[in-house]
Amino acid sequence: MSEQHTPRSLIVTFYGAYGRAAPGPVPVADLVRLLAPVGVDAPSVRSSVSRLKRRGLLVPARTAAGAAGYALSPDARQLLEDGDRRIYAAPPARRQDSGWVLAVFSVPESERQKRHVLRSRLAGLGFGTAAPGVWIAPAHLYEETRHTLERLQLSSYVDLFRGEHLGFAATADAVGRWWDLSAIAKQHEAFLDRHEPVLRGWQGRTDTPPDEAYRDYLLALDSWRRLPYADPGLPGELLPAGWPGERSAEVFGALDGRLRDAGARFVTPGGGYSA
């Protein structure tokens, strides 16, 4: 397992892809079984689940058969639903929405820790910095931004606006100041280096064994789901020539189409969880 694919991240990825569709809590024994193909051992599963429980993302519950298991909290479900709009969105060049959302915030010095949390959350949502205390993102990120700030009880410090960029610099030049496009491009290239060869391997096959599909899909999704947060989904005309984001989105989309449903047959081989 690479440094990128941590046990905690892979558990969240599993719930996002398959676990939230379970008819009830996912038994701990099934979590151990389902994380083994991607290199996570049983002690790591249990310790990571405990951390996710402390963070309020997983809640302990008994299955219908009485086995110990874990279900998603309401906050975790909202996070995953917000994430779906990013992870499975059309590549930016094909989006029809336009405009910007601005987040303007002011936090009293006595609450400066909240200022740090607010900055880190906006950056994690894909916002760039237009000026001190003024953060900017494509308008399609508004709903998720609102959900996130409300969930973290930070909305009282922020005003959100929608608008257009009217100058004076060309918008493409301004975008280069608001985001570190070179760093984002390197993340797309790293995804392509890892997962484009996997896609080529599957394209050369006529079979799709569920265990292999599950493994490759979970690893690809775990890598990909970070990228739509680092990359805010800027329109193609505002990006440098040869931008790799469109290609990485296409590779993930092809892996998703080929492997996700086949992987589900490994998760529930008998039509339900083992417990």
Side-chain angles (χ1 to χ4, degrees):
M1 182 171 57
S2 72
E3 290 183 5
Q4 181 191 30
H5 298 296
T6 66
R8 202 181 322 177
S9 175
L10 285 163
I11 290 170
V12 172
T13 299
F14 163 75
Y15 271 95
Y18 300 111
R20 61 177 148 164
V26 180
V28 174
D30 276 346
L31 286 174
V32 170
R33 173 180 72 86
L34 292 164
L35 273 295
V38 289
V40 184
D41 59 22
S44 296
V45 170
R46 292 189 172 92
S47 64
S48 297
V49 164
S50 294
R51 293 189 187 99
L52 291 167
K53 182 177 70 172
R54 288 196 296 271
R55 289 180 57 193
L57 298 177
L58 293 180
V59 292
R62 292 282 173 179
T63 69
Y70 285 89
L72 290 166
S73 69
D75 279 351
R77 286 191 177 275
Q78 182 66 67
L79 282 169
L80 292 173
E81 288 169 9
D82 285 340
D84 286 348
R85 287 192 285 271
R86 300 271 191 124
I87 293 166
Y88 302 106
R94 295 199 290 271
R95 291 188 186 137
Q96 300 300 313
D97 54 345
S98 61
W100 304 95
V101 58
L102 292 175
V104 180
F105 66 83
S106 178
V107 180
E109 184 61 26
S110 60
E111 298 180 274
R112 57 183 176 273
Q113 178 59 28
K114 288 187 177 179
R115 185 186 306 139
H116 170 74
V117 173
L118 187 50
R119 287 172 176 161
S120 66
R121 289 297 177 173
L122 289 173
L125 286 165
F127 276 71
T129 308
V134 181
W135 292 62
I136 188 167
H140 66 261
L141 300 186
Y142 162 70
E143 287 291 343
E144 185 179 359
T145 300
R146 181 175 63 81
H147 290 156
T148 299
L149 296 178
E150 289 175 344
R151 179 175 58 83
L152 297 173
Q153 299 182 341
L154 294 169
S155 56
S156 61
Y157 303 99
V158 185
D159 286 305
L160 297 177
F161 303 86
R162 287 193 66 161
E164 301 175 65
H165 180 242
L166 300 176
F168 292 92
T171 303
D173 293 337
V175 160
R177 296 196 308 270
W178 300 337
W179 284 275
D180 186 346
L181 296 179
S182 177
I184 296 170
K186 287 178 181 177
Q187 292 184 59
H188 282 295
E189 290 160 358
F191 176 85
L192 288 168
D193 287 345
R194 284 190 294 269
H195 298 289
E196 195 166 26
V198 176
L199 175 61
R200 286 197 296 266
W202 281 105
Q203 288 172 331
R205 299 175 62 168
T206 56
D207 62 331
T208 312
D211 57 337
E212 296 179 44
Y214 170 82
R215 179 200 63 213
D216 287 352
Y217 181 66
L218 204 67
L219 291 173
L221 178 60
D222 194 55
S223 294
W224 171 256
R225 70 182 181 86
R226 298 169 177 80
L227 259 172
Y229 288 91
D231 183 337
L234 299 166
E237 65 269 17
L238 300 180
L239 294 167
W243 183 254
E246 180 92 3
R247 178 60 187 156
S248 66
E250 289 172 352
V251 167
F252 173 71
L255 287 168
D256 179 69
R258 176 68 182 268
L259 304 179
R260 185 176 190 177
D261 289 347
R265 295 195 291 274
F266 176 77
V267 174
T268 56
Y273 282 89
S274 61

